[in-house]
Amino acid sequence: MKLVTLLVLPFAAALASTAPFKGCQQKVKESIHGPPHRWYKHAPAPKHHMLELKIALPQPKFPELEQHLWEISDPSHARYGAYLSKQETEALMAPHPETLDIVNEWLALHGLAEEDVIHSSARDWVTIRVPVGLAEEMLDTTYHVYKHAETGESIVRTTSYSLPDILHHHIDLIQPTTMFARFKAFKSTMHWTNQAQPAVSIPPGATITGPAGNPVDASCNSTITLSCLRQLYNAENYKTTATNCNKLGLTGYLDQYVNNKDLQQFYQAQNPSAYGSDYTLVSINGGKNNQSYAAAGSEANLDTQFGFGLAWPTPGTFYTTGGEPHFIPDLMTPNNTNEPYSYWLDHVLSQDDIPQTISTSYGDDEQTVPYTYAIRVCAGMASLGARGVSLLFSSGDHGVGDGRANPASQRCKTNDGRNITTFLPMFPASCPYVTTVGGTVNIPETAASFSSGGFSNYFARPAYQEAAVSAYLAMLAPGTFEGLYNSTGRAFPDVAAQSESFSIIYQGQESLIAGTSCSSPTFAAFVSMLNDARINAQKTPLGFLNPFLYSIGYTALNDITDGNNPGCGTLGFNATVGWDPVTGYGTPNFEKLKDLVLAMP
Ligand SMILES: *[C@@H]1O[C@H](CO)[C@@H](O)[C@H](O)[C@H]1NC(C)=O
Ligand SMILES: *[C@@H]1O[C@H](CO)[C@@H](O)[C@H](O)[C@H]1NC(C)=O
Ligand SMILES: *[C@@H]1O[C@H](CO)[C@@H](O)[C@H](O)[C@H]1NC(C)=O
Ligand SMILES: *[C@@H]1O[C@H](CO)[C@@H](O)[C@H](O)[C@H]1NC(C)=O
Ligand SMILES: *[C@@H]1O[C@H](CO)[C@@H](O)[C@H](O)[C@H]1NC(C)=O
Ligand SMILES: *[C@@H]1O[C@H](CO)[C@@H](O)[C@H](O)[C@H]1NC(C)=O
């Protein structure tokens, strides 16, 4: 986050005229029916408790930015690869000057001086720190402490807030207000074990046939290692060399720390040449880096061991983003945001040099993320795409909803007051400007049953996937899952990769771990290798991948046609020939993909 003291209007001038707000009605800006499932109102929020409010200002030129994104990510377009600079994207994200003026006037009216206001690099987000009492006055609302019935965590939120009439079209959203999302790591612990499965039944040297038709160690059918992934995805002989330019980024939230001793022990076991190598640690919003064994994060360890381990010697960047969701009244902690993506986006978008490929293994049910917030965060992802960054996200570990074939749990209910059964799309997996990675298991590969997939209720189906998704929907028997999913929404995942029995080092021990948290860093590492190949051939990085994947890239993926993703009392969708909402277009065949991307401009 950068402190920008440039304001269009001198503050004295802003202070002088409070006229726009005279006699102005406060009108409800956003409200939700009630807190989502399992959150309950505990007590009124202490008036002195500090809130860090983030205010999103509209981006009137976003349609133009989006148009650039479609053109420069489409391999058949003349402008393919002509990514925008930081200055160019910022100009297309910037609010109207009039918006900055009127919002500043409103803040001044509530005693907030210029130096109390932090602007994002494009000035499309404004951050202020205010006590609950003042926030309640500004937003004509009452904050409460809400508790989570299952985890006991507490947050300070409200279910509705208002703004003066005249500000409604100058402010997109203010959070934390109605945001109850709990961004979870998608690492699934369901196959967690502290002992690798004994490979006694597998004779040494035994091989089986991999998806690319080449022989693969038979042990890869029960334990996934770096070597297994390179064999399975046909990248055994590729060495990355563009190490002075190419980078792979991995994000960490929720106090997930990479244990460096574990990482080195993993390298020793699975990629000895990487032993002793380091990565760049970037701390955002007070993100910590606790190296005690007890603080090792299994998610962070998995992501870095497999992501950096596969792409080595490509330099790695790990982002540790703070934003403790817990409410601790005694500490008056102001970092009670629980909406970490905007902090991460703020930081990354303010940088001149961004890793070309970035993987994230966190997300939540789309419906717990306020619509306005999801739209803005997704727009931030589009800005990164316009700058030539490939963003990969895990699709989620709950099938089409709660991961249960029968019966549906309370989770599969709409939280709009209707309380009806519904499939649960995940966010940011549902954002049309990112590439979502589902999960597979075994050889031959089948869909992992937990692999989340489905259709967004927030984002319409983008043109790039129109043909693929219509073809899938046309194959469904009429009336299938009617009312449970939104057939016009952005469908996910886009692609898939192995997601079970990954052999990691955690607190000094070899452990097996599962989840789409395995598949996203894996797919991202192969994308990073493709970028390596393109950079060496003096070509631009791949940028936003989906227009490429859905037009030609899919021909170099292994189509997964077995398995399904149960949830909400149903057996979920089936993996089928072609695209499907369980495994997308399938898993990578690196050599084939490399040939494709080197043949492109
Ligand atoms: C891999 O393991 C699965 C599950 O145990 C089994 O069904 C499949 O036959 C195995 N594949 C091969 C090639 O042996
Ligand atoms: C809160 O975030 C700020 C940066 O915005 C950071 O400097 C501070 O250390 C964080 N506080 C806590 C308690 O994490
Ligand atoms: C690091 O983590 C350990 C284990 O969770 C904890 O006991 C210790 O207080 C932490 N250290 C810091 C500086 O936060
Ligand atoms: C939704 O319906 C279930 C019963 O199906 C009930 O237990 C629950 O309290 C209802 N929730 C709301 C918010 O009405
Ligand atoms: C279905 O998705 C569309 C966007 O494609 C959205 O406009 C609509 O509100 C969604 N319907 C429901 C019931 O969420
Ligand atoms: C999935 O395949 C099974 C077996 O062919 C079939 O019975 C079922 O209807 C299919 N489900 C969907 C949602 O297409």
Side-chain angles (χ1 to χ4, degrees), residues 472 475-477 480-481 572-574:
Y472 178 84
M475 282 191 319
L476 286 180
T480 304
F481 304 145
F573 296 109
N574 290 333

Side-chain angles (χ1 to χ4, degrees), residues 208-209 221 442-444:
I208 53 181
T209 305
N221 200 21
N442 290 337
I443 308 162

Side-chain angles (χ1 to χ4, degrees), residues 5-296:
T5 42
L6 262 181
L7 285 180
V8 174
L9 252 198
F11 241 77
L15 267 172
S17 93
T18 56
F21 304 104
K22 277 262 162 64
C24 197
Q25 287 272 320
Q26 294 266 134
K27 266 195 357 198
V28 173
K29 175 68 181 167
E30 222 171 318
S31 72
I32 54 174
H33 178 77
H37 184 53
R38 291 195 169 141
W39 285 105
Y40 66 94
K41 197 185 264 187
H42 171 67
K47 300 294 176 208
H48 63 270
H49 176 69
M50 291 300 286
L51 286 173
E52 185 161 288
L53 290 184
K54 297 208 102 201
I55 305 172
L57 309 182
Q59 302 166 320
K61 292 188 181 153
F62 181 76
E64 213 181 304
L65 187 146
E66 191 189 28
Q67 189 54 37
H68 282 289
L69 178 67
W70 297 140
E71 292 178 9
I72 62 192
S73 314
D74 173 359
S76 69
H77 197 280
R79 290 184 62 217
Y80 181 67
Y83 302 123
L84 305 185
S85 67
K86 174 171 180 282
Q87 287 68 26
E88 286 166 332
T89 46
E90 284 179 355
L92 296 171
M93 293 159 71
H96 195 282
E98 198 180 284
T99 292
L100 284 168
D101 290 351
I102 194 157
V103 170
N104 286 337
E105 284 185 47
W106 175 63
L107 296 176
L109 190 64
H110 289 284
L112 290 156
E114 188 181 335
E115 60 268 24
D116 300 328
V117 179
I118 301 168
H119 288 264
S120 65
S121 201
R123 296 203 282 157
D124 54 338
W125 287 89
V126 168
T127 306
I128 53 173
R129 289 181 173 216
V130 292
V132 162
L134 178 55
E136 290 181 333
E137 186 189 306
M138 295 170 76
L139 305 177
D140 192 19
T141 187
T142 308
Y143 276 91
H144 280 86
V145 177
Y146 287 85
K147 270 189 178 272
H148 194 266
E150 201 175 282
T151 65
E153 73 195 272
S154 302
I155 57 177
V156 173
R157 294 292 186 272
T158 173
T159 53
S160 166
Y161 66 97
S162 299
L163 287 173
D165 217 343
I166 192 169
L167 280 181
H168 275 232
H169 63 282
H170 291 293
I171 288 179
D172 274 352
L173 68 97
I174 302 184
Q175 292 293 351
T177 49
T178 57
M179 168 87 112
F180 285 84
R182 299 165 67 240
F183 294 103
K184 293 178 287 285
F186 282 143
K187 166 199 63 68
S188 155
T189 50
M190 57 196 205
H191 298 284
W192 185 273
T193 146
N194 275 328
Q195 257 179 349
Q197 286 170 28
V200 280
S201 57
I202 301 166
T207 61
I208 53 181
T209 305
N214 56 326
V216 169
D217 295 346
S219 63
C220 299
N221 200 21
S222 50
T223 303
I224 294 287
T225 59
L226 295 181
S227 165
C228 286
L229 292 170
R230 282 184 164 256
Q231 295 175 51
L232 280 168
Y233 297 143
N234 202 13
E236 263 187 287
N237 301 317
Y238 190 77
K239 302 257 179 300
T240 55
T241 52
T243 51
N244 59 343
C245 167
N246 199 28
K247 289 196 181 81
L248 173 63
L250 301 169
T251 68
Y253 296 100
L254 310 172
D255 297 328
Q256 279 282 334
Y257 310 121
V258 180
N259 188 275
N260 293 331
K261 252 162 80 186
D262 283 344
L263 182 62
Q264 294 306 327
Q265 189 181 333
F266 174 86
Y267 284 159
Q268 234 167 359
Q270 294 201 23
N271 188 354
S273 346
Y275 180 69
S277 70
D278 207 353
Y279 60 93
T280 303
L281 182 83
V282 177
S283 163
I284 301 169
N285 193 36
K288 300 194 199 88
N289 177 30
N290 187 333
Q291 283 300 315
S292 125
Y293 254 150

